[in-house]
Amino acid sequence: MPRAEHAISREDISDNALKVMYRLNNAGFSAYLVGGCVRDLMLGHKPKDFDVVTNATPEQIKGLFRNCRLIGRRFRLAHIVFGREIIEVATFRGHHNEDPSVAKQDDEGQLLRDNVFGTIEEDAERRDFTFNAMYYDVATFSVTDFANGINAIKRGEVDLIGDPEVRYREDPVRMLRAVRFAAKLDMTINPRTAKPIKELAHLLSNIPPARLFEEMLKLFLSGHGLQTFRLLREYNLLEPLFPMLGKVFAAPDSKEIGLIELVLKNTDERINTGQRVTPAFLIATLLWYPVEEHATKLQSEAGLNGHDAFNIAMGDILHRQSQRIMIPKRFSTVVRDIWHLQQRLPRRFGRRAFQLLSHPKFRAAYDFLLARGRTEGGDLLELADWWTQFQDASPANQKKMLNTLRQEEGREPRKRRRPRKPKSDSHAQ
Ligand code: ATP
Ligand code: MG
């Protein structure tokens, strides 16, 4: 497609990406924009980032840019760093089947290693969807569309390059990507691309947990989480990601689904209005009912008290989930905080209410309580509403609220205080 036949203008391309391509061109290499950025520009969207491909090898790229870092084990890539913007530059990838020493597949057909350089045609064939295999050449301002991606864009279809079953077996994450693009680009997955998904969904259990963590962030924290969740559920792709919730996803809508969908809807709104989100909140949401259930079971079966049962349940559930999707420590600590505070928020007497307000994770825990309240109604919603009022009340009104609480609850038998621990203990650490 020469310049006159497509809508991509240099104005829409990052200056740094242009610089990188010009320098590669001047050194005698070819250089193209490819993938998501070309697709998004063709759709009239603003690209998230700009990826470049070239026939220069990583070492040759490094020789041209001082601000270059080589990364990646599965496939070596160059990152050209311009302050906060990173332009990713990859060497054309080739076919893998011919030489078994550089490409390895497991019994399910999954690619384990593929470090082969190739031509632009080969590079295009190895890409996932037809709309992701369009190349923009800054030397001629033309777009080369190897797999008829333009047609997919016109039809609003997610269409895999090649035989879908083979391509999913090579890399099961492509099933997640199909759904992600359908939700994000508001497209449908065409029938041939959709057909094998349900049958091959289980292959996701072979993907390393660290990669699935990255994918999970893209699925749920890119502003289209709710729609992505619904599509993943429709294609039976949730069970292999969250095995503990398998039954919940397969059954008709329940309070579990209600809570997850409510939180995803709020998350999308926050992202689309530029507010911060944390993966911890989402993980806390997804695994909340499994924790509650497991804690109840531990109480009745192992005879543990509520407090201990809940603590053990939190650890067990996080551990089980992280067998499938990695949960980095910096997030799991926050997940625990959010959960733990759910136990504390009902107990508001005296100074406790103020201590809770000043807890660093109060806000997240309160938001979580509110989501639970809106899902389940009843006492939980009342409790959440109480906290809504209390936070913004004047000191005098806060005092009144606590007094009212004391009077209401005063009719119930008061718990005896636990004996204080000896002072020396608490200072020992
Ligand atoms: P986004 O805008 O969400 O980043 P993207 O298409 O740029 O979408 P990336 O994950 O950044 O997605 O990948 C960049 C490009 O690399 C894709 O457009 C595609 O051509 C190729 N690609 C990425 N992952 C795969 C995969 N698993 N199999 C084949 N090709 C892939
Ligand atoms: Mg991208």
Side-chain angles (χ1 to χ4, degrees):
M1 269 177 270
R3 175 65 189 92
E5 288 174 28
H6 65 77
I8 301 183
S9 144
R10 266 174 306 164
E11 307 267 292
D12 307 322
I13 300 170
S14 133
D15 288 340
N16 293 324
L18 291 173
K19 253 186 248 170
V20 168
M21 292 190 287
Y22 286 137
R23 184 168 306 178
L24 284 162
N25 284 166
N26 288 338
F29 299 108
S30 58
Y32 301 84
L33 285 181
V34 66
C37 60
V38 181
R39 176 196 71 219
D40 289 348
L41 288 170
M42 287 292 206
L43 283 161
H45 300 170
K46 193 174 152 41
K48 214 172 52 188
D49 43 35
F50 292 85
D51 295 334
V52 171
V53 276
T54 175
N55 59 351
T57 63
E59 279 67 29
Q60 288 171 324
I61 301 167
K62 190 156 175 59
L64 286 175
F65 298 93
R66 265 189 314 153
N67 47 338
C68 172
R69 276 197 323 237
L70 296 188
I71 59 144
R73 257 171 300 156
R74 234 167 72 106
F75 194 80
R76 280 171 63 79
L77 294 172
H79 275 178
I80 320 285
V81 185
F82 298 90
R84 289 182 57 188
E85 188 181 20
I86 293 178
I87 306 294
E88 192 173 288
V89 184
T91 308
F92 293 137
R93 299 163 79 161
H95 286 298
H96 36 81
N97 329 13
E98 295 94 51
D99 184 352
S101 70
V102 278
K104 269 186 98 76
Q105 278 172 294
D106 70 5
D107 300 342
E108 300 275 14
Q110 191 178 327
L111 289 177
L112 301 178
R113 250 196 289 144
D114 61 286
N115 246 324
V116 201
F117 300 136
T119 62
I120 189 169
E121 289 82 7
E122 288 169 330
D123 186 89
E125 276 175 43
R126 313 206 11 161
R127 292 190 177 265
D128 46 7
F129 301 102
T130 58
F131 52 46
N132 281 344
M134 296 186 283
Y135 295 67
Y136 175 85
D137 180 4
V138 75
T140 60
F141 311 129
S142 62
V143 173
T144 310
D145 177 9
F146 286 93
N148 204 1
I150 259 302
N151 186 44
I153 284 183
K154 279 189 195 130
R155 300 165 67 105
E157 279 187 357
V158 178
D159 188 9
L160 206 48
I161 296 173
D163 178 47
E165 175 161 352
V166 173
R167 304 304 312 281
Y168 290 141
R169 284 188 183 278
E170 279 174 2
D171 182 3
V173 167
R174 289 174 183 149
M175 295 185 273
L176 300 178
R177 292 174 59 85
V179 164
R180 181 159 75 81
F181 290 128
K184 166 178 159 159
L185 306 172
D186 195 17
M187 292 186 176
T188 53
I189 305 178
N190 75 3
R192 61 181 278 280
T193 302
K195 191 163 170 268
I197 296 183
K198 285 189 185 169
E199 212 153 289
L200 300 179
H202 68 276
L203 295 177
L204 283 170
S205 58
N206 302 329
I207 303 297
R211 185 166 177 218
L212 285 183
F213 175 71
E214 296 301 322
E215 288 303 321
M216 181 182 77
L217 300 186
K218 291 192 200 171
L219 289 165
F220 297 128
L221 300 181
S222 304
H224 307 271
L226 179 58
Q227 178 58 10
T228 305
F229 176 79
R230 289 183 173 162
L231 282 178
L232 288 172
R233 190 169 169 215
E234 188 182 318
Y235 283 104
N236 297 351
L237 286 165
L238 287 171
E239 207 251 5
L241 299 180
F242 307 98
M244 284 179 281
L245 290 159
K247 277 202 203 99
V248 167
F249 296 138
D253 285 1
S254 52
K255 67 169 196 242
E256 285 86 345
I257 298 288
L259 180 68
I260 296 168
E261 292 208 342
L262 175 67
V263 166
L264 285 171
K265 185 167 163 269
N266 292 343
T267 305
D268 287 346
E269 269 164 28
R270 289 182 69 97
I271 292 168
N272 297 324
T273 53
Q275 298 175 71
R276 277 170 54 96
V277 293
T278 164
F281 198 87
L282 189 69
I283 298 165
T285 304
L286 284 157
L287 302 179
W288 170 251
Y289 288 112
V291 168
E292 265 200 331
E293 194 180 321
H294 189 43
T296 311
K297 201 167 147 204
L298 284 172
Q299 245 182 305
S300 65
E301 284 178 13
L304 293 171
N305 68 40
H307 181 79
D308 292 347
F310 192 78
N311 276 332
I312 293 174
M314 291 198 292
D316 282 355
I317 297 292
L318 282 169
H319 176 73
R320 276 188 220 165
Q321 180 58 47
S322 58
Q323 308 294 303
R324 199 52 65 90
I325 303 183
M326 187 183 75
I327 307 175
K329 187 89 186 265
R330 65 184 185 283
F331 299 125
S332 62
T333 14
V334 181
V335 174
R336 281 169 186 274
D337 277 346
I338 293 174
W339 285 342
H340 190 234
L341 284 166
Q342 301 308 299
Q343 303 282 92
R344 289 178 57 192
L345 285 167
R347 300 189 220 123
R348 293 154 286 173
F349 287 125
R351 283 202 317 272
R352 283 189 191 150
F354 296 103
Q355 284 165 351
L356 283 165
L357 268 189
S358 62
H359 190 287
K361 292 295 166 233
F362 170 81
R363 186 73 217 181
Y366 158 75
D367 284 341
F368 191 67
L369 177 70
L370 192 59
R372 289 172 60 211
R374 294 204 167 137
T375 306
E376 294 187 29
D379 289 353
L380 264 183
L381 186 56
E382 245 172 63
L383 177 63
D385 287 342
W386 188 92
W387 278 107
T388 308
Q389 255 188 41
F390 187 75
Q391 290 173 73
D392 295 328
S394 65
N397 283 337
Q398 284 180 331
K399 217 168 161 183
K400 261 193 226 152
M401 285 179 77
L402 288 171
N403 279 337
T404 316
L405 200 66
R406 184 174 287 280
Q407 281 159 16
E408 280 171 8
E409 310 255 329
R411 274 172 252 127
E412 288 162 27
R414 274 181 74 183
K415 276 195 195 148
R416 277 187 37 213
R417 276 173 171 268
R418 287 210 221 132
R420 277 177 185 274
K421 281 189 192 151
K423 268 240 155 75
S424 57
D425 259 24
S426 54
H427 287 279
Q429 324 127 6

